[in-house]
Amino acid sequence: MKRVFVFLSVLFLTIISTFSAPFGLKMGMSLDEISKNCEEQPSFLKDEIYLIKPIKSHPVFQYYAVYVNSKIGLYQIRAVSDTITCNKYGTEIQNAFNNVKDRIAKTYGKPKIHDYVDPNIFLSYQKEEYWFCSLVEGSRELSASWGENESLSDDLDSVVLECMADSGYLDGTANLILYYYFNNAKFVEDEQDSVF
């Protein structure tokens, strides 16, 4: 009886941990394991990057990329939203950012917000009516991060959500980009840095 209970407990915890991982993907998964959690086979992009369509996806994000190292498996996930058309105030991308940030916060807690505008740009460009323009120029940043000075679940080192402008001046298009860095990502960095 005790063996049955232990077996069922382990099975339950395994099932729960699989579904709680981001997009159903866990640190260290091989490409074959990842493909079992996708609607179709991963598509090789370049280096260690593959485009995927996870079974467990989010309606805001349309494009998903996984970074898979031959030695350590899955070490990073990136999700990109569909294009968001924005006015000169950037209202639409800011609303989308806040909505997704608040939803991620339910899983990983309160994030650190980085809302920065370069103080060296023209004073008039620092006004709200040029919010989107300054994002396009790269003089404004809006992001949220989890994992700084705290440990995260799901073997994650950090999670980052950021706004990225595609085009436009007073208005245009932008995307949200969501990054998941697993604890084993440092191994890849160390391996790459070993050439120096």
Side-chain angles (χ1 to χ4, degrees), residues 31-179:
L31 203 53
D32 287 338
E33 292 171 322
I34 292 169
S35 66
K36 291 175 185 173
N37 290 291
C38 294
E39 294 178 9
E40 54 191 48
Q41 287 295 316
S43 174
F44 178 74
L45 186 60
K46 67 175 188 171
D47 301 325
E48 300 175 337
I49 307 169
Y50 296 83
L51 297 178
I52 63 165
K53 290 186 178 182
I55 294 170
K56 186 178 175 185
S57 61
H58 189 279
V60 169
F61 297 98
Q62 301 300 314
Y63 309 99
Y64 300 85
V66 291
Y67 291 61
V68 183
N69 180 276
S70 59
K71 294 178 184 174
I72 61 163
L74 177 64
Y75 64 92
Q76 186 183 149
I77 302 170
R78 289 189 188 183
V80 181
S81 73
D82 207 356
T83 301
I84 299 168
T85 302
C86 300
N87 63 20
K88 65 183 180 178
Y89 298 97
T91 306
E92 297 82 0
I93 191 71
Q94 290 185 67
N95 288 344
F97 171 83
N98 286 322
N99 181 288
V100 172
K101 169 189 60 83
D102 293 344
R103 294 174 84 174
I104 295 170
K106 291 178 184 177
T107 302
Y108 299 112
K110 186 177 178 180
K112 179 180 179 183
I113 304 298
H114 182 72
D115 189 358
Y116 171 80
V117 62
D118 186 348
N120 297 318
I121 63 171
F122 292 115
L123 195 56
S124 61
Y125 275 31
Q126 294 180 24
K127 295 179 182 177
E128 289 302 308
E129 65 192 80
Y130 293 102
W131 194 97
F132 189 77
C133 176
S134 58
L135 185 68
V136 170
E137 290 180 343
S139 53
R140 177 179 296 277
E141 297 173 13
L142 179 60
S143 65
S145 61
W146 293 261
E148 189 175 311
N149 302 320
E150 63 183 332
S151 59
L152 298 176
S153 60
D154 302 324
D155 293 316
L156 287 166
D157 179 64
S158 61
V159 177
V160 178
L161 176 67
E162 71 176 355
C163 299
M164 185 70 64
D166 291 329
S167 64
Y169 182 65
L170 294 179
D171 55 7
T173 58
N175 299 87
L176 290 177
I177 304 176
L178 178 58
Y179 306 84

